[in-house]
Amino acid sequence: MPVAQSAPILEQPKALHATTVMPTLLGEGYGIYQSRPSAFIYSFVLNVVAIALLVWSGHWVVSHKEEIRQRVIGIVSDPGAYALPASKTQAGGGGGGGDRDKLQASKGSPPKFAKDQFTPPMVVVRNEAPKLPMDPTVVGPPSITFPLGPTGDPLAGVIGPPSNGTGSGGGIGSGSGGGVGSGHGPGVGPGEGGGIGDGIYKVGGGVSAPRTIYAPDPEYSEEARKAKYQGTIILYMIVTADGRPRDVRVVRSLGMGLDEKAIEAVRSWRFEPAKNDGHPVAVQINVEVSFRLY
């Protein structure tokens, strides 16, 4: 008669000694499964590396806060690098003058440019024998020259008779300030403050670029953020002699509300103004404002 076989008795795992430290690392298993020390080592090393990277990245973010801010928003902190091209023969600005004559200023060439003006130009000389004779000049880059000819306003439409013009303050024209033209100041043309041209100085020809001293970041529009939209806007502006931006307008647009955000931020910027011969002047510049998502 067959005898029923009893179930095999499984060998009980050996009890770990109370003094065993890190049994997984030492290769002591649990039950019938053998432990793998290499898995523990890999896991331990990976965790140490992850913690080290986390600590290092936190330290890096704190120590490079300003760099990160500039990269995220991408604002040009020095607009001079993006100013209109420098020129040795054009500086913008302008001036005007006159002697309250009844006739319009006669056409001619202005005197030479100089950094300082001691004697304003005249077509009709009132004092033939001054006590301290000095050559008449207009204020602007000395590198700018005019064709030689009779003194007068180069933009005037009247060839004669000779006249200093209907303006005031000395000089020639219908403006004021000892210059030549319809503007204001010792320069030439319809602008102001010296130099020559179309009303506002341009960087170059002895005119320095303005420098930002306060430039808060523009905000990202919700529409652009949701669409993960990025790009660069170019803004035109005039930086006044007291360092404030005005006439801000878009030259290259991005859309999605970013143009408005850039203009809003730039209008609050403050600058150390541009200078011509050490004197603050208004200038026109272009500025890039970049929006980037990281």
Side-chain angles (χ1 to χ4, degrees), residues 1-293:
M1 184 175 180
V3 178
Q5 296 180 351
S6 59
I9 299 175
L10 295 176
E11 183 180 353
Q12 296 297 323
K14 298 180 180 179
L16 296 177
H17 297 291
T19 56
T20 302
V21 179
M22 302 178 72
T24 305
L25 177 61
L26 298 177
E28 298 190 25
Y30 299 90
I32 60 175
Y33 301 100
Q34 182 68 28
S35 63
R36 298 178 58 189
S38 59
F40 174 85
I41 294 174
Y42 293 150
S43 176
F44 179 77
V45 171
L46 287 175
N47 278 277
V48 169
V49 171
I51 293 172
L53 286 175
L54 184 62
V55 173
W56 175 84
S57 62
H59 173 73
W60 190 89
V61 167
V62 172
S63 60
H64 294 74
K65 180 173 60 177
E66 290 301 316
E67 295 178 21
I68 294 172
R69 180 179 67 84
Q70 292 296 335
R71 289 178 184 174
V72 172
I73 303 300
I75 295 178
V76 177
S77 60
D78 182 8
Y82 293 87
L84 298 180
S87 171
K88 294 183 178 179
T89 58
Q90 184 178 10
D99 200 20
R100 299 191 183 279
D101 285 352
K102 294 183 178 180
L103 300 176
Q104 295 293 324
S106 53
K107 190 176 183 66
S109 295
K112 64 181 180 179
F113 275 96
K115 292 184 178 180
D116 299 295
Q117 183 188 62
F118 296 99
T119 303
M122 290 176 284
V123 177
V124 180
V125 180
R126 305 298 184 187
N127 186 0
E128 298 286 352
K131 293 182 179 180
L132 184 62
M134 299 189 73
D135 292 335
T137 57
V138 286
V139 173
S143 58
I144 300 178
T145 58
F146 292 90
L148 295 176
T151 302
D153 182 355
L155 299 179
V158 180
I159 297 178
S163 171
N164 289 331
T166 59
S168 62
I172 305 168
S174 58
S176 63
V180 177
S182 59
H184 303 279
V188 177
E192 60 184 35
I196 180 172
D198 50 7
I200 297 295
Y201 276 107
K202 300 172 185 174
V203 175
V207 180
S208 65
R211 183 178 63 86
T212 51
I213 55 178
Y214 174 71
D217 303 336
E219 297 179 357
Y220 232 99
S221 67
E222 256 332 289
E223 182 183 6
R225 189 184 300 278
K226 289 179 180 178
K228 296 184 179 180
Y229 191 62
Q230 304 181 100
T232 300
I233 298 169
I234 297 181
L235 299 177
Y236 164 92
M237 73 178 75
I238 293 172
V239 178
T240 63
D242 61 357
R244 296 176 180 270
R246 67 176 175 87
D247 300 343
V248 183
R249 64 174 183 265
V250 176
V251 176
R252 188 172 71 193
S253 172
L254 269 183
M256 286 201 170
L258 296 179
D259 297 348
E260 293 77 8
K261 292 292 186 182
I263 292 175
E264 180 183 352
V266 166
R267 280 177 175 163
S268 67
W269 288 12
R270 294 296 178 266
F271 296 81
E272 179 183 312
K275 292 183 179 180
N276 178 38
D277 193 27
H279 301 289
V281 293
V283 294
Q284 52 183 322
I285 61 172
N286 284 356
V287 174
E288 285 188 353
V289 180
S290 297
F291 289 86
R292 293 284 183 269
L293 290 173

